[in-house]
């Protein structure tokens, strides 16, 4: 039933899709869809504006208009459904996902799991790393995209994990030397990729891989902080505590700041 009431309004022009508003809405009323924040259903928004302060671009405001009435029972049903779907997918991540993700019918090389060690690392060094000029590759496995790596990948086991935004990896010139050596790496874009899917993936990884330490490499732009939120939500959902260091780099490749989890 439509009533005149307060409800969230999202300015499409101002929204950069960073996703910071998503976790602040306890009702789950906002999701990032096609790179923009969207109200999933009018009846899920209570109009109290808990999300407002989280938006770095001022894209959110409370407006008064005719809308479906807030429905607490539907919100509860929706959240329960989300929760059981996530639990199911986490479970599937431990059992089915590795097979599905490790070999797609198309045979794309990106989906073949490989651990190839680093240059000079001994018997496991089946693919000697490229030694271009004076920079050796620090990459020790494949694939690297968050979506393609199953939680059970052997290279994640007890790993020192680097989670990097796509842009940050490209911007930082000494990525291999300073961040890849000795670490497993997962990369993605918090702005254009599916945040909820990544939260589920990290939840499953944190529950199964016994990760020792996490380094998050992000760009200075606000939307990139979504990567840190995704990791935090994965940790919270997995119920584990892992030391995290967050590093912000500029588009010119300088390290702007480093913050450890206790800071
Ligand atoms: S106003 Fe409240 S219920 Fe509506 S989207 Fe914002 S946080 Fe969620
Ligand atoms: S917090 Fe980010 S995703 Fe949410 S409305 Fe603001 S700019 Fe868009």
């Amino acid at each position: 039933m439509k009533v005149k009431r307060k409800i969230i309004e999202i300015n499409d022009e101002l929204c950069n899709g960073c996703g910071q508003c998503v976790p602040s809405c306890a009702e789950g009323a906002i999701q990032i869809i096609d790179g923009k924040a969207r109200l999933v259903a009018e009846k899920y928004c209570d109009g109290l504006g808990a999300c407002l302060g989280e938006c770095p671009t001022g894209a959110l405001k409370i407006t008064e208009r005719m809308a479906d009435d807030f429905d607490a029972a539907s919100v509860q049903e929706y959240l329960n459904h989300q929760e059981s779907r996530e639990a199911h997918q986490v479970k599937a991540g431990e059992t089915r996902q590795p097979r599905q993700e490790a070999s797609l019918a198309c045979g794309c090389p990106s989906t073949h799991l490989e651990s190839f060690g680093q240059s000079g690392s001994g018997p496991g060094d089946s693919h000697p790393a490229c030694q271009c000029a004076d920079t050796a590759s620090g990459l020790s496995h494949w694939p690297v995209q968050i979506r393609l790596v199953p939680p059970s990948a052997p290279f994640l086991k007890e790993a020192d994990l680097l989670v990097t935004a796509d842009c940050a990896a490209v911007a930082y010139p000494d990525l291999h030397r300073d961040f890849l050596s000795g670490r497993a790496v997962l990369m993605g874009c918090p702005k254009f990729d599916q945040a909820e899917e990544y939260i589920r993936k990290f939840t499953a990884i944190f529950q199964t891989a016994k990760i020792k330490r996490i380094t998050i490499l992000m760009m200075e732009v606000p939307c990139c902080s979504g990567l840190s939120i995704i990791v935090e939500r994965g940790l919270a959902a997995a119920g584990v505590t892992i030391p995290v260091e967050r590093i912000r780099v500029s588009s010119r490749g300088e390290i702007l700041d480093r913050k450890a989890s206790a800071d």
Side-chain angles (χ1 to χ4, degrees):
M1 186 187 61
K2 298 269 185 199
V3 293
K4 190 163 189 194
R5 70 176 186 96
K6 291 187 171 150
I7 190 165
I8 195 70
E9 183 176 299
I10 304 166
N11 185 321
D12 236 30
E13 298 281 306
L14 294 177
C15 176
N16 64 19
C18 70
Q20 291 186 50
C21 52
V22 174
S24 68
C25 178
E27 289 74 16
I30 304 179
Q31 295 293 325
I32 303 298
I33 298 168
D34 296 333
K36 297 277 182 186
R38 308 270 180 224
L39 180 60
V40 180
E42 291 178 343
K43 65 182 176 182
Y44 297 157
C45 176
D46 61 13
L48 295 178
C51 52
L52 298 186
E54 301 301 325
C55 179
T57 68
L60 299 174
K61 73 171 185 186
I62 295 295
T63 187
E64 193 161 356
R65 65 173 170 86
M66 294 299 288
D68 289 337
D69 206 356
F70 175 64
D71 184 343
S74 290
V75 168
Q76 197 50 55
E77 200 178 315
Y78 167 65
L79 292 175
N80 290 345
H81 175 72
Q82 294 276 90
E83 214 169 274
S84 64
R85 200 181 62 155
E86 280 174 23
H88 176 75
Q89 280 172 334
V90 166
K91 205 169 162 213
E94 292 167 355
T95 53
R96 292 199 315 271
Q97 260 180 320
R99 280 205 304 278
Q100 289 173 340
E101 291 179 332
S103 89
L104 296 182
C106 64
C108 169
S110 287
T111 64
H112 295 163
L113 289 183
E114 269 189 279
S115 299
F116 38 78
Q118 288 165 6
S119 183
S121 63
D125 191 8
S126 57
H127 282 58
C130 167
Q131 302 267 358
C132 309
D134 58 353
T135 307
S137 172
L139 188 62
S140 60
H141 62 84
W142 197 258
V144 297
Q145 284 289 338
I146 299 168
R147 183 176 289 175
L148 294 175
V149 175
S152 62
F155 49 81
L156 288 179
K157 198 158 180 259
E158 297 180 17
D160 188 344
L161 178 65
L162 172 69
V163 180
T164 178
D166 296 341
C167 301
V170 174
Y172 190 74
D174 293 320
L175 182 88
H176 284 252
R177 188 193 65 199
D178 294 352
F179 292 110
L180 289 190
S181 283
R183 291 188 174 98
V185 59
L186 292 175
M187 63 192 298
C189 173
K191 182 167 174 177
F192 294 115
D193 300 345
Q194 293 294 323
E196 291 301 323
E197 181 189 342
Y198 282 1
I199 291 166
R200 288 193 291 275
K201 176 62 70 80
F202 279 113
T203 303
I205 289 171
F206 297 148
Q207 285 176 335
T208 58
K210 298 198 170 105
I211 298 292
K212 283 189 189 145
R213 199 165 32 217
I214 304 166
T215 304
I216 305 174
L217 198 61
M218 305 172 280
M219 294 297 292
E220 57 186 319
V221 290
C223 57
C224 221
S225 63
L227 193 62
S228 179
I229 294 170
I230 287 169
V231 170
E232 277 161 29
R233 288 193 56 190
L235 286 168
V240 297
T241 304
I242 300 171
V244 180
E245 185 181 25
R246 295 166 186 79
I247 302 172
R248 278 191 325 129
V249 300
S250 72
S251 54
R252 305 307 301 268
E254 305 137 326
I255 291 186
L256 299 174
D257 51 51
R258 311 177 76 121
K259 282 189 187 155
S261 37
D263 290 355

